[in-house]
């Protein structure tokens, strides 16, 4: 079972990290922007974390004779998600220090420009600037940055784990042949 979890976790992590790096050129070309980047990012997470479903199914079929409880399935799914999340955070660290060196400055400038375009008050803009300065200070700490990156993907992994665990506890869902 450990081997299955490791394999599916590494596959999910490789997919999410690979998709992160594969989409980087689209940021540079302007196809992906701060306005649609969140959608693209979370879509890649869902695609990669689909391995949770297949990992749970493989464990159910090969290690539990075609039957798995919700909690055993949840444990398998969470462990796969954790492996993928750590790989995602490591990939972001590499990206942040090589490709996205000025990421926070670009993001701040984009949202600041949006606020001005939307006609936000000086007080709202100043509050945003202060918040971004605090955020930039936090982001300098690699442990906080790593934790924040984990916090992006782990909720997606938890949701997919719960859905997969609920589905696959039923023997009738994709039964063993």
């Amino acid at each position: 079972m450990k081997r299955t979890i490791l394999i599916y976790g590494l596959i999910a992590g490789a997919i999410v990290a690979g998709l992160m790096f594969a989409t980087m050129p689209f940021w540079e070309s302007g196809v992906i922007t701060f306005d649609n980047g969140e959608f693209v990012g979370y879509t890649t997470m869902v695609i990669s974390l689909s391995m949770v479903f297949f990992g749970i199914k493989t464990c159910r079929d090969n290690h539990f004779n075609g039957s798995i409880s919700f909690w055993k399935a949840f444990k398998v799914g969470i462990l796969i998600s954790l492996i993928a999340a750590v790989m995602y955070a490591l990939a972001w660290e590499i990206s942040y220090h090589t490709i996205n060196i000025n990421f926070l400055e670009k993001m701040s400038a984009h949202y600041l420009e949006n606020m001005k375009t939307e006609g936000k008050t000086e007080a709202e803009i100043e509050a945003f600037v202060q918040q971004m300065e605090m955020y930039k200070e936090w982001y300098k700490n690699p442990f906080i940055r790593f934790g924040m990156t984990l916090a992006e993907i782990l909720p997606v992994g938890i949701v997919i784990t719960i859905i997969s665990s609920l589905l696959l506890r039923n023997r009738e869902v994709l039964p063993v042949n």
Side-chain angles (χ1 to χ4, degrees):
M1 186 169 89
K2 290 177 186 176
R3 186 174 190 276
T4 302
I5 291 168
L6 183 62
I7 288 170
Y8 282 92
L10 291 173
I11 292 170
I15 292 170
V16 75
L19 288 173
M20 177 192 295
F21 288 112
T23 59
M24 290 300 168
F26 296 103
W27 280 91
E28 296 301 319
S29 68
V31 172
I32 300 175
T33 65
F34 287 106
D35 295 325
N36 66 7
E38 206 170 297
F39 174 77
V40 172
Y42 281 103
T43 300
T44 64
M45 291 177 198
V46 170
I47 290 168
S48 67
L49 289 169
S50 67
M51 290 297 109
V52 167
F53 180 88
F54 297 108
I56 293 171
K57 182 176 180 342
T58 299
C59 282
R60 180 190 76 176
D61 296 351
N62 298 336
H63 301 287
F64 298 110
N65 298 320
S67 177
I68 192 168
S69 71
F70 172 83
W71 290 111
K72 282 183 184 176
F74 186 83
K75 177 183 169 187
V76 169
I78 282 299
L79 292 172
I80 292 169
S81 296
L82 282 171
I83 293 168
V86 168
M87 290 179 68
Y88 172 75
L90 290 172
W92 175 249
E93 284 298 311
I94 292 167
S95 171
Y96 181 72
H97 290 290
T98 57
I99 301 168
N100 288 312
I101 296 168
N102 296 319
F103 176 77
L104 285 178
E105 287 75 19
K106 291 176 185 175
M107 184 180 76
S108 297
H110 172 78
Y111 288 116
L112 186 59
E113 186 61 37
N114 280 357
M115 290 181 81
K116 290 177 182 176
T117 302
E118 293 170 0
K120 299 290 184 184
T121 66
E122 284 298 319
E124 290 172 313
I125 291 172
E126 183 57 33
F128 172 77
V129 169
Q130 293 295 326
Q131 184 181 18
M132 286 310 298
E133 289 305 316
M134 182 180 65
Y135 185 66
K136 287 177 190 177
E137 208 46 48
W138 289 351
Y139 221 67
K140 289 178 184 176
N141 183 323
F143 297 107
I144 293 174
R145 187 175 54 247
F146 197 83
M148 291 170 85
T149 308
L150 288 175
E152 290 175 13
I153 190 170
L154 279 176
V156 179
I158 291 168
V159 169
I160 291 174
T161 295
I162 290 170
I163 293 168
S164 299
S165 298
L166 287 170
L167 288 171
L168 291 169
R169 70 184 176 152
N170 182 348
R171 290 176 156 246
E172 304 304 315
V173 174
L174 298 173
V176 180
N177 294 330

